[in-house]
């Protein structure tokens, strides 16, 4: 009972922080996720035994370039090319991590320092950057879009858990995450799509097709992101990435789905904007 109370209080504080920052202004939201990104990097580098602090310098440099310099000072083809390069590097890194999910090798032990640095920078660092870039649409900060994305991930997590508890029989990926079930995944997807329809009716950020497509992308890649982090934790022999959030573990445990799904969600929105 006490553990449940801690989880509830921590969850409420986290939700209030995120929504309040997004509602306040873009600077508050950017700053909050810069801090969250640093916390996630700190936890991840401990899991993969990456020594030194140069990864934080790399992350802050990328942050300054893409969130401040390009977003506020640049436009046109230079900005587009820079974002596309970062997108390509991030998606390739994440796709390699997905491929490694299906490998039975404990890969952490054979990763070089350079590989650990690249994974940390693009899987964690760039994931946070793309999450922060998502609300910037047509030179405005679309706060309901980013709040909607958080709602979709929260709905998916909640109903995947509840559906899995009630009906789960077939394991989704037992070797990495024994508690996840196919029924839970389907339940989370269905309710996330329902939530996207509700968001369409109560916001004017995107049309229905875009909201539904975004929900599907977030559920699929958010689930994969959760599995990727679970494999890193299993390899490191730890239950949680950290202990900063009472009842929830570490910051990366809280944000793993969003960070991994963010570049795919950003690419999805840009593609749908381009073809519509």
């Amino acid at each position: 009972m006490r553990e449940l109370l801690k989880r509830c209080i921590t969850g409420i504080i986290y939700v209030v922080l995120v929504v309040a920052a997004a509602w306040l202004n873009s600077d508050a939201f950017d700053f909050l996720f810069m801090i969250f990104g640093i916390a996630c990097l700190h936890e991840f580098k401990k899991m993969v035994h990456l020594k030194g602090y140069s990864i934080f310098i790399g992350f802050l440099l990328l942050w300054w370039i893409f969130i401040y310099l390009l977003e506020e000072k640049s436009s046109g083809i230079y900005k587009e090319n820079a974002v596309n390069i970062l997108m390509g590097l991030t998606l390739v890194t994440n796709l390699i991590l997905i491929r490694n999910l299906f490998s039975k090798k404990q890969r952490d032990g054979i990763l070089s320092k350079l590989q650990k640095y690249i994974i940390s920078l693009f899987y964690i660092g760039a994931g946070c950057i793309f999450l922060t870039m998502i609300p910037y649409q047509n030179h405005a900060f679309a706060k309901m879009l980013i709040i909607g994305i958080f709602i979709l991930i929260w709905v998916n997590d909640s109903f995947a858990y509840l559906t899995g508890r009630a009906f789960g029989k077939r394991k989704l990926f037992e070797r990495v995450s024994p508690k996840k079930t196919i029924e839970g995944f389907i339940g989370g997807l269905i309710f996330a799509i329902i939530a996207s329809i509700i968001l369409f009716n109560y916001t004017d950020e995107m049309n229905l097709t875009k909201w539904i497509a975004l929900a599907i992308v977030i559920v699929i890649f958010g689930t994969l992101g959760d599995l990727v982090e679970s494999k890193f934790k299993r390899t490191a022999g730890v239950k949680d990435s950290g202990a900063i959030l009472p009842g929830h573990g570490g910051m990366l445990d809280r944000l793993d789905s969003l960070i991994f799904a963010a570049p795919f969600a950003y690419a999805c929105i840009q593609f749908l904007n381009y073809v519509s």
Side-chain angles (χ1 to χ4, degrees), residues 7 178 184 208 264:
R7 284 181 63 87
L208 181 58
F264 296 98

Side-chain angles (χ1 to χ4, degrees), residues 217-234:
V217 167
I218 285 174
V219 170
I220 292 173
F221 289 101
T223 302
L224 286 168
D226 190 41
L227 291 171
V228 164
E229 198 229 355
S230 293
K231 183 163 186 180
F232 276 115
K233 289 191 294 186
R234 187 170 289 271

Side-chain angles (χ1 to χ4, degrees), residues 13 18 42 46 53 64 94 136 149 158 167 170 176 181 188 196 201 207 211 219 229 233 267 272 276:
I13 293 172
V18 170
H42 174 70
K46 287 175 63 178
Y53 297 95
W64 177 72
N94 285 358
Y136 291 96
I149 286 174
S158 300
F167 306 106
R170 293 171 291 178
V176 174
T181 64
S196 72
N201 286 313
N207 62 35
W211 272 117
V219 170
E229 198 229 355
K233 289 191 294 186
L272 292 173
S276 62

Side-chain angles (χ1 to χ4, degrees), residues 9-255:
I9 293 173
T10 304
I12 290 170
I13 293 172
Y14 167 73
V15 170
V16 169
L17 267 177
V18 170
V19 173
W23 202 266
L24 185 60
N25 56 50
S26 61
D27 290 337
F29 184 78
D30 292 350
F31 180 76
L32 179 65
F33 274 88
M34 182 185 72
I35 299 302
F36 282 178
I38 291 171
C40 289
L41 274 175
H42 174 70
E43 293 171 356
F44 186 73
K45 72 186 287 288
K46 287 175 63 178
M47 279 201 295
V48 299
H49 309 294
L50 178 62
K51 297 180 180 179
Y53 297 95
S54 59
I55 187 62
F56 298 114
I57 297 173
F59 170 64
L60 291 173
L61 180 61
L62 270 186
W63 189 274
W64 177 72
I65 291 172
F66 286 93
I67 300 302
Y68 174 73
L69 189 63
L70 287 178
E71 195 61 51
E72 296 187 8
K73 306 293 184 181
S74 181
S75 61
I77 192 67
Y78 298 106
K79 176 181 177 180
E80 183 178 338
N81 287 341
V83 172
N84 287 340
I85 290 171
L86 183 64
M87 172 68 70
L89 292 170
T90 306
L91 293 183
V92 167
T93 301
N94 285 358
L95 290 173
I96 291 172
L97 293 176
I98 292 173
R99 184 202 66 185
N100 290 345
L101 275 176
F102 299 91
S103 171
K104 295 183 180 180
K105 296 179 181 179
Q106 297 294 317
R107 299 197 61 85
D108 177 66
I110 61 174
L111 290 176
S112 68
K113 183 176 180 179
L114 178 60
Q115 288 172 320
K116 293 175 183 178
Y117 189 93
I118 291 172
I119 292 171
S120 300
L121 189 60
F122 294 109
Y123 159 45
I124 304 294
C128 289
I129 288 170
F130 277 110
L131 179 62
T132 313
M133 288 171 63
I134 286 173
Y136 291 96
Q137 300 291 321
N138 299 320
H139 307 289
F141 184 73
K143 58 189 175 185
M144 285 309 301
L145 174 57
I146 193 62
I147 291 174
I149 286 174
F150 277 95
I151 290 172
L152 291 177
I153 204 77
W154 293 331
V155 167
N156 174 54
D157 287 347
S158 300
F159 284 95
Y161 172 77
L162 294 172
T163 308
R165 283 286 300 268
F167 306 106
K169 293 182 179 179
R170 293 171 291 178
K171 300 297 182 182
L172 179 66
F173 210 114
E174 187 172 12
R175 179 160 50 84
V176 174
S177 186
K179 294 183 179 181
K180 290 190 182 300
T181 64
I182 294 174
E183 292 82 2
F185 171 78
I186 294 172
L189 177 61
I190 291 171
F191 280 97
I193 291 173
I194 293 172
S196 72
I197 296 171
I198 295 172
L199 285 166
F200 163 71
N201 286 313
Y202 286 94
T203 67
D204 56 3
E205 306 296 348
M206 298 191 299
N207 62 35
L208 181 58
T209 301
K210 291 180 182 179
W211 272 117
I212 292 176
L214 187 60
I216 294 170
V217 167
I218 285 174
V219 170
I220 292 173
F221 289 101
T223 302
L224 286 168
D226 190 41
L227 291 171
V228 164
E229 198 229 355
S230 293
K231 183 163 186 180
F232 276 115
K233 289 191 294 186
R234 187 170 289 271
T235 301
V238 297
K239 180 178 180 293
D240 299 315
S241 66
I244 194 172
L245 300 175
H248 290 265
M251 186 60 69
L252 185 56
D253 294 321
R254 182 75 265 179
L255 291 173

